[in-house]
Structure formats: structure tokens, C-alpha cells
Amino acid sequence: MKKYLLDLTVKAVERIHERYVLIKLTDRNPLPEMLPGQFIEVRVDGSSTTFLRRPISINFIDRKQNELWLLVATVGDGTHKLAELKEGDQLNCLLPLGNGFTPVHEGEKVLLVGGGVGVAPLLYMGAQMQQTGMEPTFLLGARTAKDLLLLDMFNRFGRVFVTTEDGSQGEKGFVTNHSILSDERFDRISTCGPTPMMKAVARYARSKGIDCEASLENLMACGLGACLCCVEKTTEGNLCVCKDGPVFNIKRLLWE
């Protein structure tokens, strides 16, 4: 897929949580084709400590509004600078990068499991599934109810089930404790979030013989497979997550 280096215009920056912002970008021309699970690399201007681009998952594409949404966790100086962007600012973006989730086939029952900022790529995947006449099932986990992100958007595209560690919303516990995993059978699982969560989801999928893909969140600096800082050990040797992933079938990962 062709890659683009674009100066996109900031349309809005919405503070949706004390630690997260939703950045909406647009362009004069129609945005390029992008697939669920792919990511972009953004240049961070104005930071004295951020020298490399930051990888951010594609959260959503609104074709009617010609918008690209980025869900950003503000954890360091670079992401805090991104949170300070204002309407009308320009953000230099390299996109789209990496390989996305495998397209869903008609009739497949798919479970999308996310935690924390890892829910980001699952929203776009669910929206794409709905456009093709399929209903995704989302299973989203967080520490508390206030840490659940974009629930109103997820509810627009499919069934939503929730776990919180303190039991303040949904079922108490981790995503792999949710009763839907014992009540229903799925043909495929796609997951993104903290590595321990994804490994637990992978163990569940293996135990049930369910095909499963995980979107890895290794540190990715260049996005093109040149710097080798995002290498993951796989059944095929060491692979660059940014170029060969970030989405991998769990059969390729040496997690067990």
C-alpha cells in the first residue's frame, strides 16, 4: 500500500479523559486508504526531548467529514505536546504504516478485545465490519468505569461488553474473566492492549481452538523496519513489528 507524508490540519482536540485526548485531523484532499490495525507516525514539534516520530494507531476514519482520528495517551513530553495542539495547527504524518487485521469473512462471528488505549484500532475495525453488514462484539476492559474510552462510539457499531477491575461498570475482573467467553462461541478474536492482557486472550483462544490476531505495541521509532527497535521474536525469527506487524496471528508469536 502506498505511503504518504502529509501535513494534516488539526480539526479538533478533545480531552476525553485526564490521560487521553482524541485528535481529529483533516486535509484538503480525500484522505488515503487506510486499513484497521494500521498506524501512522507523527512528528512532534516543539519538544526538546522528543527527536523521533511517535507511532499512533488509526482510531477511526470518518469519510463523510474527511477526518482521521487518533486516540493519544499522554504519558511523556512528546504526547503532552500533541495534546496541546490547537484547531488549525499542522501535524506532519507518515501514513499508513504496517499490516492491519485480516479482513473478516461473511458469516464469521468475531470478538474484538481491547484494554486501555489498545481499544483504539478496534473501533475502526468494528466500523468497517458494520459497513459490510456484520455485527462485531466488543469486549473492553479498564481499571475503573471512568477509564473506559469512547463507549458511545463502540455502541454505534456493535454489541459492547465491559469489565472493570474494581467492578464499577460491567463485570468485575479482567477481560478473560467475562462470562461471554463461556456463554458464546466465536470464530475469531482480534485483540489490542497491554501485553499481559493480550497474552491471556491468546491463551484463551488457543485453549478453545479459536483463530486469534494480536496488535502489538512495541516501541516503533521509524515505522519502516530500519531502526530495529521494535523487533519481536517469532516462529520465523526476529521480525520488525512496524513492518511485519503490528498485527500478528498468535501462532507466529513465541509467547508460550
Side-chain angles (χ1 to χ4, degrees):
M1 183 176 289
K2 184 177 179 181
K3 297 175 177 58
Y4 299 82
L5 186 63
L6 302 175
D7 286 316
L8 299 181
T9 301
V10 176
K11 194 169 181 180
V13 179
E14 302 173 7
R15 175 67 66 172
I16 62 171
H17 184 278
E18 60 186 11
R19 296 195 306 273
Y20 300 97
V21 293
L22 183 63
I23 301 174
K24 298 181 179 180
L25 304 170
T26 190
D27 194 33
R28 299 188 305 271
N29 301 311
L31 291 167
E33 180 186 0
M34 289 172 264
L35 302 175
Q38 289 187 305
F39 67 100
I40 75 171
E41 290 269 359
V42 302
R43 190 181 69 206
V44 181
D45 298 325
S47 170
S48 60
T49 61
T50 308
F51 307 105
L52 301 174
R53 289 177 178 267
R54 287 293 181 264
I56 304 176
S57 295
I58 295 167
N59 178 216
F60 187 65
I61 305 291
D62 186 333
R63 289 293 174 188
K64 290 183 179 179
Q65 300 297 322
N66 199 38
E67 290 178 355
L68 163 62
W69 295 12
L70 304 178
L71 181 60
V72 179
T74 54
V75 294
D77 186 62
T79 48
H80 276 95
K81 286 294 182 184
L82 293 176
E84 294 172 3
L85 289 167
K86 300 292 189 293
E87 182 181 350
D89 287 347
Q90 299 290 301
L91 186 62
N92 186 263
C93 303
L94 178 62
L95 75 161
L97 299 172
N99 298 303
F101 293 103
T102 301
V104 178
H105 301 300
E106 185 177 356
E108 279 190 304
K109 188 174 180 181
V110 180
L111 179 66
L112 309 181
V113 185
V117 75
V119 303
L122 304 181
L123 181 65
Y124 186 34
M125 184 176 180
Q128 292 288 87
M129 288 179 61
Q130 188 194 64
Q131 284 188 1
T132 57
M134 289 175 281
E135 182 185 44
T137 300
F138 300 103
L139 176 54
L140 310 176
R143 289 189 178 90
T144 71
K146 71 175 184 177
D147 298 317
L148 292 164
L149 304 172
L150 302 176
L151 279 187
D152 56 334
M153 288 296 297
F154 282 103
N155 276 297
R156 286 173 52 182
F157 300 120
R159 299 188 302 157
V160 178
F161 297 87
V162 165
T163 65
T164 50
E165 292 178 28
D166 66 353
S168 53
Q169 187 165 338
E171 296 188 13
K172 185 175 182 179
F174 301 117
V175 288
T176 46
N177 302 133
H178 199 285
S179 59
I180 192 175
L181 297 181
S182 57
D183 293 344
E184 298 189 27
R185 168 76 186 188
F186 294 91
D187 301 308
R188 188 195 304 186
I189 298 175
S190 298
T191 185
C192 185
T195 299
M197 184 209 78
M198 290 195 293
K199 287 184 175 180
V201 172
R203 286 193 295 271
Y204 166 80
R206 284 195 181 100
S207 71
K208 300 297 182 180
I210 302 173
D211 194 48
C212 180
E213 290 183 326
S215 179
L216 274 56
E217 296 185 321
N218 297 33
L219 180 65
M220 296 181 281
C222 72
L224 301 170
C227 69
L228 304 180
C229 72
C230 65
V231 165
E232 178 78 17
K233 293 181 179 179
T234 75
T235 56
E236 303 150 51
N238 291 336
L239 296 179
C240 289
V241 170
C242 67
K243 181 172 66 71
D244 300 298
V247 177
F248 290 88
N249 191 293
I250 61 169
K251 294 176 182 177
R252 302 174 68 192
L253 300 173
L254 300 178
W255 277 357
E256 297 298 332

